[in-house]
């Protein structure tokens, strides 16, 4: 299952944190340690004697590097496994809390809890492996410090007896050997987490390559839409089933708690279908295919080029109307005005100063209905092949709702539309209507 929505954000935050550790726990300490050893080597050679300087330098730099390299290699797998499992556990807990009512009604709460406990056991196992490797490396480094201190003591004794150097000067090497342990021992945690950092670097690199792809302008070609002749959307639930072709529109109705929003989120690939993660979807879970393929099988960017969802609570940014619309596509002013007209918002925006009119935090300055229509206009600019609308007419009067739905249809004549509604499902735009029911209590 590819990461989407809040899971993407959670993963990116964790990966950025891991890459911060690359600099703070690994690169900077290693560079500082090497510079310290070189400086100490030169000063010891000049002040005490080259035998002591060489004994400490050769003992620390190559041998400590070998121990830490061994720790990094052994910790690659458990470190990355611990990070991946921790993310899985975190997402699983969030999903269980969010879907707890549905899980209770379907009698699946116990199975989900057991699955999370198993994930927690896997996390603890990986953490124990990683801790064991770190302890082994720590033991080897302590032994190394002891041996180097003994070598420094022996070299200092040879200087005292063989060259007549003072004991105080010769003892400097011993104290320096002990002090230099502080440049090596703290590096264990950084090398132990090398697998976590490497995994984060691969994922961030993948995001960067994807993010470097130019966004589609409204008039640009759409991504590959799967097998030729495949329906835009196929949905089968215990209550109904349908297949949408381009230009079809369907209204999903039902009481609060029936799962209308959840179904839209599943179609959009933002919520995993129950049981799909372990390859055994629940018997009452919906079957969903977008152009013949489940949402989880699509490449993230290609899928987002095909499918757009406008949730009940859409986000607007502090900034101008133009900046908020530009989040959808690199559109011209004419295309932005056309999208605003489709949402019956063009007159309002014109009266407020046009596309350069500024909004406050979270779209402050617009009413709830106006903010909703601005989000709908932004969705129109993306020109998706499949548009998912969650309560698109909420906060709008009947006349405005009528104009907005017709405007979206005219602006996107070839787009398949699925809308979840409490009211307005009888609008002529919708050629099909289906109702979800609340599952019976167990």
């Amino acid at each position: 299952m590819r990461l989407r929505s809040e899971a993407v954000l959670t993963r990116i935050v964790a990966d950025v944190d891991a890459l911060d550790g690359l600099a703070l726990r690994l690169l900077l300490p290693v560079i500082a340690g090497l510079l310290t050893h070189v400086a100490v080597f030169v000063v010891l050679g000049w002040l005490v004697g080259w035998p002591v300087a060489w004994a400490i330098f050769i003992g620390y730099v190559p041998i400590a590097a070998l121990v830490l390299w061994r720790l990094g290699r052994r910790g690659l797998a458990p470190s990355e496994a611990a990070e991946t499992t921790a993310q899985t556990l975190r997402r699983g807990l969030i999903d269980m809390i969010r879907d707890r009512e549905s899980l209770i009604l379907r009698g699946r709460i116990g199975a989900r809890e057991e699955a999370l406990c198993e994930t927690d056991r896997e996390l603890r196992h990986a953490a124990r492996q990683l801790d064991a490797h770190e302890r082994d490396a720590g033991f080897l480094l302590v032994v190394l410090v002891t041996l180097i201190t003994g070598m420094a003591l022996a070299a200092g004794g040879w200087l005292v007896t063989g060259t007549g150097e003072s004991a105080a000067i010769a003892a400097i090497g011993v104290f320096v050997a002990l002090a230099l342990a502080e440049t090596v021992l703290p590096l264990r945690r950084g090398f132990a987490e090398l697998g976590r950092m490497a995994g984060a670097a691969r994922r961030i690199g993948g995001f960067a390559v994807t993010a470097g792809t130019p966004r589609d302008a409204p008039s640009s070609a759409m991504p590959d839409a799967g097998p030729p002749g495949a329906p835009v959307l196929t949905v089968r639930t215990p209550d109904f089933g349908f297949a949408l072709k381009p230009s079809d529109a369907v209204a999903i109705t039902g009481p609060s708690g029936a799962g209308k929003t959840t179904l839209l989120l599943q179609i959009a690939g933002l919520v995993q279908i129950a049981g799909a993660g372990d390859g055994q979807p629940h018997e009452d879970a919906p079957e969903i295919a977008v152009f013949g393929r489940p949402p989880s099988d699509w490449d993230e960017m290609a899928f987002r080029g095909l499918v757009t969802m406008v949730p009940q609570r859409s986000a607007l940014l502090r900034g101008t109307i133009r900046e908020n619309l530009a989040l959808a596509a690199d559109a011209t002013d004419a295309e932005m005005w056309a999208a605003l007209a489709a949402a019956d918002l063009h007159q309002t925006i014109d009266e407020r100063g046009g596309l350069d009119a500024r909004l406050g935090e979270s779209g402050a300055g617009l009413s709830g209905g106006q903010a909703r229509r601005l989000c709908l206009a932004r969705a129109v600019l993306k020109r998706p092949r499949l548009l998912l609308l969650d309560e698109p007419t909420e906060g709008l009067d009947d006349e405005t709702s009528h104009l907005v739905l017709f405007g979206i249809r005219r602006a996107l004549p070839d787009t398949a539309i699925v809308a979840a509604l409490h009211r307005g499902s009888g609008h002529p735009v919708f050629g099909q209507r289906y109702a979800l029911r609340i599952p019976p209590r167990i």
Side-chain angles (χ1 to χ4, degrees):
M1 179 70 179
R2 286 183 173 82
L3 297 175
R4 308 203 191 277
S5 185
E6 71 276 6
V8 174
L9 181 59
T10 302
R11 168 56 73 190
I12 290 176
V13 170
D15 287 344
V16 170
D17 177 67
L19 292 180
D20 282 344
L22 179 63
L24 297 176
R25 296 182 181 179
L26 203 60
L27 294 180
L28 292 178
V30 167
I31 292 172
L34 285 174
L35 292 176
T36 300
H37 278 277
V38 171
V40 167
F41 170 73
V42 174
V43 173
L44 272 181
W46 170 72
L47 184 63
V48 179
W50 293 109
V52 175
W54 278 112
I56 294 176
F57 186 82
I58 293 176
Y60 266 120
V61 175
I63 300 177
L66 182 63
V67 172
L68 292 171
W69 173 80
R70 177 176 176 268
L71 170 61
R73 286 204 60 178
R74 297 181 69 192
L76 277 175
S79 174
E80 188 164 9
E83 173 64 18
T84 302
T85 308
Q87 288 296 322
T88 301
L89 180 61
R90 188 176 297 117
R91 290 197 306 273
L93 285 170
I94 293 172
D95 289 344
M96 187 175 74
I97 293 171
R98 180 183 58 204
D99 300 334
R100 61 187 181 278
E101 292 182 1
S102 176
L103 291 170
I104 292 171
L105 289 172
R106 289 171 170 82
R108 303 291 303 179
I109 192 73
R112 181 63 62 88
E113 182 180 1
E114 178 56 33
L116 290 176
C117 289
E118 178 59 29
T119 302
D120 181 65
R121 286 190 287 270
E122 293 175 4
L123 174 60
R124 292 174 183 273
H125 176 69
R128 283 194 298 269
Q129 282 187 309
L130 191 60
D131 288 343
H133 295 324
E134 187 177 351
R135 287 195 301 271
D136 290 345
F139 173 75
L140 292 176
L141 289 175
V142 169
V143 171
L144 178 63
V145 170
T146 303
L147 292 176
I148 292 173
T149 304
M151 291 169 58
L153 182 62
W158 177 82
L159 287 175
V160 172
T161 58
T163 64
E165 187 67 71
S166 69
I169 294 296
I172 292 176
V174 176
F175 294 114
V176 168
L178 291 172
L180 285 176
E182 295 303 317
T183 66
V184 174
L185 293 175
L187 295 176
R188 290 174 298 162
R189 175 49 58 177
F191 277 89
E193 293 186 350
L194 200 56
R196 176 180 178 232
M197 299 172 191
R202 285 196 301 272
R203 287 184 292 269
I204 292 292
F207 288 138
V209 170
T210 306
T213 304
R215 289 182 298 174
D216 289 338
S219 60
S220 63
M222 286 294 179
D224 174 29
V232 176
L233 174 67
T234 303
V235 174
R236 292 186 180 86
T237 76
D239 295 329
F240 55 77
F242 61 82
L244 294 186
K245 303 185 300 294
S247 77
D248 285 347
V250 60
I252 307 295
T253 64
S256 296
K260 300 186 299 296
T261 296
T262 299
L263 179 60
L264 291 185
L265 291 171
Q266 289 170 335
I267 295 172
L270 300 176
V271 168
Q272 187 172 356
I273 295 174
D278 54 17
Q280 297 179 339
H282 298 170
E283 59 181 16
D284 53 355
E287 297 179 18
I288 298 170
V290 178
F291 288 102
R293 294 155 60 182
S296 59
D297 288 354
W298 280 91
D299 172 76
E300 174 70 17
M301 290 301 290
F303 191 76
R304 296 301 158 216
L306 292 168
V307 181
T308 294
M309 179 175 175
V310 182
Q312 280 185 275
R313 297 174 181 84
S314 299
L316 293 175
L317 304 179
R318 181 187 185 93
T320 65
I321 299 293
R322 186 194 311 278
E323 289 168 343
N324 275 276
L325 291 175
L327 293 173
D330 296 323
T332 64
D333 284 7
E335 289 165 336
M336 289 185 179
W337 281 113
L340 290 170
D344 193 38
L345 193 62
H346 55 302
Q347 291 183 354
T348 300
I349 298 303
D350 187 41
E351 292 169 358
R352 290 175 176 268
L355 296 175
D356 293 320
R358 298 195 66 82
L359 302 178
E361 195 70 34
S362 301
L366 296 177
S367 68
Q370 291 167 346
R372 184 147 197 80
R373 282 182 282 162
L374 182 56
C375 293
L376 291 170
R378 189 166 60 192
V380 167
L381 274 178
K382 291 195 70 174
R383 304 193 67 82
R385 302 288 290 273
L386 175 61
L387 179 61
L388 308 174
L389 305 174
D390 194 3
E391 301 292 350
T393 60
E394 182 182 15
L396 307 180
D397 57 49
D398 291 342
E399 181 181 356
T400 304
S401 299
H402 178 80
L403 293 173
V404 168
L405 291 174
F406 265 131
I408 293 174
R409 180 76 285 175
R410 284 194 299 268
L412 303 173
D414 298 323
T415 296
I417 299 175
V418 180
L421 304 118
H422 273 104
R423 64 181 181 87
S425 61
H427 194 281
V429 160
F430 301 111
Q432 304 176 52
R433 298 165 187 83
Y434 299 96
L436 281 170
R437 58 183 175 82
I438 296 179
R441 294 183 178 273
I442 298 176

